[in-house]
Amino acid sequence: MTQTAHAEHKLSFFRRYIWSQDHKVIGIQYLITSFLVALVAGLIAMLIRLNMAWPAHTWPVLGNLFPNGMPGGVMRPEFYASLFTMHGTLMVFFFLSIALIAGFGNFVIPLQIGARDMAFPFLNALSFWTVVPGVIVMFASFFLPYGAAGAGWVSYPPLSAVKEAIPGSMMGQTYWIIGMVFFIASFTMGGINFVTTVMNCRTKGMTLMRMPLTTWAIFVAVLLGIFAFPSLVAGVIMLMFDRHFGTSFFLPAGLYIGEKLLPNQGGVPLLWQHLFWFLGHPEVYILMLPAMGFTSDIFATFARKPIFGYKAMVGAIIAIAVLSFMVWGHHMFVSGMSPYLGAFFFVNTIIIAIPSAIKTFNWLTTLWRARIHLATPMLFALGILSIFVTGGLSGIFLGNSPLDIHLHDTYFVIAHFHFIMAGAALFGVFAGTAYWFPKMFGRMMNETLGKIHFWITFIAYYCVFFPMHYLGMHGMMRRLYDPTRYAYLKPLQPINVFITISAFVLGAAQLIFMVNFFWSMFKGKKADANPWKSNTLEWVAASPPPHDNWGPEPSPVVYRYPYDYSVSGAPKDYLPQNIPDSEIQNTSAY
């Protein structure tokens, strides 16, 4: 291929920034879209916490904003149900999944493997413009006459399957299904593209065992989604048929709505739980694995040390993926399953902790006696480690079937969930943004604002979710509209107030991030090609990279493993992957 074939394309504004087929632009489109979703989902969380701290309080301003959900300024229970349903749905699928997989995956993977673009650029653009209608449908559901879906983000039947069950079971639940169909279709198109790109578009010398752990993690997470999402596809199709076409996949005989006996018979509500959680638990690692990959790359860069046990880390990623398909039943210990089957899921849940522990201890060994540079990406990576360990320890309780009987559907579960998945994944978004922002926009984010954002977020996050373990141990239920209605929960109300105040501090801290992100995009200090002195191939390209990543130059050739830091005899403490051994003494080579 001639050099002229890689010349910068002359594209219109629409083709360059809207209907772009450049993986970098698409990655940024995904990322900014996910931030918009996070803003809406975060505001929903503030409304949830407001009601938990001061239930039945009158908020006239909110009454004007939400006349149907908060008439007179008092939140209705059905509006509260739609809030926690949509908060979970938007955060898990339309923020974290989009940001970590589609956003960073699109931007980083072709650069890290030396490719000029994704394998299927048109399909890549189509995948983004498929998820956008899903976001629009989800947002639009709030404006329906009976509101958005209200059966929880897990949408258990019969609430989700019977339109007359609750207000949120009306068209809001149908919109939820349609939005999820768009999301799954987008993820599948993107996933096929990622797998094909990694397997077929690696540059010369880039073997699988020379790939950075970020690429490994996203690659395996995408495979998880490709194999796990079909179960949810089947589930939502059957759910739609139960709702609108008179079938009985999830509706048993003998169901009454008010005094009306439903004609359905033969359905099994537990079938939905099996289909949902067969995806739901792999989804935990679909979000966690990319954050783990980011942590590995950032630790090596800012500790100036090779990742300890690279092959073991790759093996742990694969082991986590395989085992994640064997633990879905630990979400269903109280569903009436056989104790022997419960023991199977309990044992597998403990076993999956082994590869997670391998990753944790390898990270700690990497940091041991390292020359750590506490830049913003490193702070958030350390935050991932802290939050992941905290969530993992609480998971031991919930993975044990006898203990789970007492803790199931309490605030202990909310605390665990927001540490092991939501928190670690959220900090992964912040770490990845701070780390790759110079490559995306050619400018540096403000370090002072970044560190202020980290410390407020880190402390406030623990203040919000750690006390929820205590609430759960005292029997406070999930999805509870008004805890003050129960005498045994009234003494715990000061904790709810503390959590809510901390949540507002946590939410306010994200405004610092948003200001830093958009201000730095245009006014930040200009970055050179490799501001962090890192080894992986994305730092060989210009900042920001040209249309086809490497410009008129041929794609870089890889000669080494990605974490050669502080190598004895090297003139500098980093050795980029494209530097051959014969040029190590030539300091001008890098």
Side-chain angles (χ1 to χ4, degrees), residues 7 132 139 146 281 301 360 523:
V132 168
F139 286 174
Y146 293 96
H281 203 82
T301 298
T360 300
K523 299 294 184 180

Side-chain angles (χ1 to χ4, degrees), residues 12 174 179 188 205 294 297 353 424 427:
S12 67
T174 300
T188 303
F294 300 174
D297 280 11
F427 274 60

Side-chain angles (χ1 to χ4, degrees), residues 406 409-411 470-478 488-489 492:
H406 300 282
D409 262 350
T410 69
Y411 260 68
Y470 183 79
L471 295 178
M473 287 183 171
H474 280 72
M476 183 168 165
M477 301 81 77
R478 298 174 67 183
Y488 77 99
L489 293 179
L492 303 176

Side-chain angles (χ1 to χ4, degrees), residues 350-367:
I350 299 302
I351 291 174
I352 203 173
I354 296 174
S356 299
I358 289 173
K359 298 187 74 64
T360 300
F361 286 113
N362 282 13
W363 285 332
L364 293 174
T365 306
T366 301
L367 298 176

Side-chain angles (χ1 to χ4, degrees), residues 3 53 67 90 95 124 291 295 323 338 344-345 377 413 424 445 483 590:
Q3 290 185 354
L90 292 174
F95 168 47
N124 203 21
T295 301
L323 290 168
S338 163
F344 170 82
F345 288 118
V413 177
M445 294 186 77
Y590 59 103

